[in-house]
């Protein structure tokens, strides 16, 4: 899921300067799981805005804010409250925020910083495992991604910064290549070590990404 | 052909040192350091070493040539994508800078621009391959070059890093990718160096032993705590701590490393960090 965090109140106050009538939007998917944009956080945001003397014209928690058509439909269900607002404050990831700006010309204020595509270790603890690079090497690397977990994204083994199986950038972090090496050893195969990996095709990561399912 | 390359290819024992480009545009001090080096075959010019922004090493390497000093241009994968790397390499060749040391580079988080975006479009093995392509007269896209560079390409190795098998597979990849010589990270345990050399010798690439001059016991402890793959043993720390003049003792230790290299490696890479005046004593 998309891991995100709430922006600071200081930053939000700047964005909401002279915006007195606010419609609040949350997301029932990732932002809810991250506890930054679900029903509860939308309610807390409403209370905070009201304590500042601002009016909350209404609110909605969209099932998946990244679904552009669904977001548009949900906003239309709150047509009057949306029309009364001079800003839409969105507690969703950057994708969710842009579903809203795709279907409303109102001033959209994003309330979150989107961090990464993350796995959940336990409640409130997230880890990045995949960079969505478009050219997956996991089948050769024992299911451990060097593009993401190696701080330098190296493809042909560790740098000189590995020490006791840890990364030079943070002694708490495992060296991805050490993990890959140990796991392949357990599996009794050489995997990615059997070849020199060619330079990565970043053309696959063309921005902005587009994809359509093939029939 | 460069004399450094000739010496290596003839099997001569070679000595390299290193110089860092200035933080700024005044190269007086860097050139003075280089001029003061006696008995050195080539000088590495570091590339934003420790992820600290400094003058382009290509510029300083070119200035070294004017001084009659043969440079080894260090290039990291941290700051340039494959286009910028190839572009700089072609520029280096045009300026007569043909000795290279190709490395991954320290992560930007260590340096003075921690907010910089790390590039690492290529890794060090792929950069070695890239130089091989340029040497064969084409770029990474397969396009023909006008004029073919003749780079002499070096790579780095940390002999004491663990696990050895994992580290050594990368050494093997670097050899296969076209590394023509190696300069190692500082090694203080010569038994472990010998373990590495036993594995490296059959691959037939000249190895220059990294010799980092120890100034004090404190410096040795700092290296142990903060520099991956560098291990100064307790006995050496004890010698430095007990010495009346720790720097003299550091010179003596460096001399022992050079003596080992004369018997077992094809050269030394001296890292003297401002004590270049001690190089003659280290080599004596």
């Amino acid at each position: 899921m998309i891991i995100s965090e709430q922006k600071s109140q200081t930053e939000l106050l700047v964005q909401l300067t002279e915006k007195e009538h606010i419609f609040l939007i949350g997301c029932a998917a990732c932002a809810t799981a991250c506890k930054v944009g679900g029903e509860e956080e939308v309610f807390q945001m409403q209370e905070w805005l009201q304590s500042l003397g601002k009016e909350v014209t209404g609110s909605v928690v969209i099932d998946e804010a990244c679904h552009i058509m669904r977001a548009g439909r949900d906003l239309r269900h709150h047509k009057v409250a949306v029309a009364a607002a001079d800003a839409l404050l969105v507690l969703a990831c950057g994708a969710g925020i842009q579903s809203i700006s795709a279907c409303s010309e109102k001033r959209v204020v994003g309330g979150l910083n989107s961090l990464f595509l993350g796995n959940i270790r336990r409640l409130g603890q997230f880890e990045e495992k995949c960079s969505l690079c478009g050219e997956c090497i996991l089948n050769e690397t024992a299911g451990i991604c060097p593009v993401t977990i190696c701080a330098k994204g190296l493809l042909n083994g560790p740098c000189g910064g590995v020490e006791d199986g840890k990364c030079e950038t943070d002694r708490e972090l495992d060296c991805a290549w050490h993990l890959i090496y140990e796991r392949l050893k357990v599996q009794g195969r050489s995997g990615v070590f059997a070849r020199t990996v060619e330079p990565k095709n970043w053309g696959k990561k063309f921005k902005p990404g587009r994809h359509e399912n093939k029939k | 052909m460069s004399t450094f390359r000739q010496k290596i290819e003839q099997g001569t024992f070679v000595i390299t040192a290193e110089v860092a480009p200035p933080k700024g545009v005044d190269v007086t001090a860097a050139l003075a350091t280089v001029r003061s080096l006696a008995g050195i075959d080539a000088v590495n010019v570091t590339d934003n070493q420790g992820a600290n922004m400094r003058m382009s090493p290509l510029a300083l390497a070119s200035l070294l040539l004017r001084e009659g000093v043969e440079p080894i241009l260090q290039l990291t994968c941290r700051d340039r994508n494959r286009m910028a790397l190839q572009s700089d390499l072609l520029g280096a060749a045009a300026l007569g800078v043909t000795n290279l040391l190709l490395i991954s580079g320290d992560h930007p988080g260590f340096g003075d621009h921690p907010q910089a975006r790390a590039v690492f479009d290529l890794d060090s093995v792929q950069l070695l391959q890239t130089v091989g392509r340029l040497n064969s007269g084409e770029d990474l896209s397969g396009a023909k070059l006008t004029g073919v560079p003749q780079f002499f390409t070096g790579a780095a190795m940390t002999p004491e890093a663990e696990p050895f098998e994992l580290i050594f597979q990368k050494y093997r990849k670097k050899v296969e990718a076209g590394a023509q010589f190696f300069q190692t990270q500082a090694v203080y345990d010569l038994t472990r160096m010998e373990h590495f050399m036993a594995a490296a010798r059959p691959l037939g690439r000249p190895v220059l032993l990294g010799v980092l001059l120890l100034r004090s016991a404190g410096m040795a402890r700092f290296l142990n705590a903060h520099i991956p793959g560098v291990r100064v043993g307790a006995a050496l720390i004890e010698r430095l701590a007990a010495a009346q003049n720790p720097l003299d003792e550091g010179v003596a230790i460096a001399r022992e490393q050079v003596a080992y290299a004369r018997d077992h490696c094809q050269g030394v890479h001296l890292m003297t960090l401002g004590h270049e005046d001690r190089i003659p004593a280290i080599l004596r």
Side-chain angles (χ1 to χ4, degrees), chain B residues 87-105:
Chain B
S87 177
D88 278 3
L89 283 162
L90 295 181
L95 290 166
V97 175
T98 54
N99 301 317
L100 304 172
L101 181 76
L102 306 176
I103 50 185
S104 305

Side-chain angles (χ1 to χ4, degrees), chain B residues 38-250:
Chain B
I40 302 294
D41 296 299
V43 177
N44 286 48
V45 185
T46 57
D47 179 11
N48 292 336
Q49 190 172 17
N52 291 300
M53 194 286 297
R54 285 165 172 264
M55 175 189 286
S56 154
L58 175 51
L60 187 64
S62 174
L63 293 172
L64 255 60
L65 277 179
R66 283 200 220 166
E67 296 285 324
V69 174
E70 205 177 331
I72 299 172
L73 175 66
Q74 296 197 182
L75 271 188
T76 73
C77 301
R78 179 192 54 236
D79 307 323
R80 305 170 190 81
N81 70 7
R82 67 193 76 182
M83 292 181 71
L85 285 164
Q86 291 178 95
S87 177
D88 278 3
L89 283 162
L90 295 181
L95 290 166
V97 175
T98 54
N99 301 317
L100 304 172
L101 181 76
L102 306 176
I103 50 185
S104 305
D106 294 319
H107 194 276
F110 288 103
D112 61 1
H113 286 62
Q115 295 174 332
R117 182 169 189 164
V119 180
F120 300 111
D121 183 31
L122 302 180
D123 65 25
S124 55
V125 176
Q126 294 161 346
L127 182 53
L128 282 160
Q129 289 180 319
T130 302
V131 171
R133 289 281 286 274
L134 296 178
N135 275 346
S136 76
E138 61 177 39
D139 70 10
L140 272 186
S141 77
K144 289 272 173 289
L145 305 175
T146 58
V148 178
Q150 288 190 302
F151 290 114
F152 186 53
T153 312
M157 170 72 194
T158 306
E160 291 197 70
E162 293 284 355
F164 183 76
E165 189 187 17
L166 171 61
I167 302 302
F168 196 75
Q169 67 83 30
K170 193 153 185 184
Y171 182 83
R172 193 176 284 115
K173 278 189 179 182
K174 287 180 175 180
V175 170
E176 287 165 5
Q180 291 160 289
F181 69 94
F182 283 85
Q183 292 177 312
T184 78
Q185 176 60 285
V187 182
Y188 293 96
D189 183 339
L190 296 178
T191 311
R192 292 177 60 138
M193 186 60 192
E194 188 45 41
H195 173 60
F196 161 69
M197 285 306 297
R201 259 181 219 113
L203 300 184
R205 292 298 182 278
V207 172
L208 280 59
L209 173 67
V211 175
L212 172 57
L213 175 62
L214 296 169
R215 278 191 304 264
S216 63
M219 173 183 172
R221 289 189 202 99
F222 178 88
L223 293 174
N224 284 344
H226 298 289
I227 307 298
V230 177
R231 295 184 178 84
V232 188
L236 292 186
I237 295 180
E238 182 53 39
R239 276 175 64 182
L240 291 161
Q244 264 192 340
N245 185 331
L247 181 59
D248 285 346
E249 193 61 32

Side-chain angles (χ1 to χ4, degrees), chain A residues 72-83:
Chain A
R73 188 193 61 203
D74 283 8
L75 277 198
R76 282 195 298 279
H77 287 162
H78 296 78
K79 214 171 177 175
V80 177
V82 170

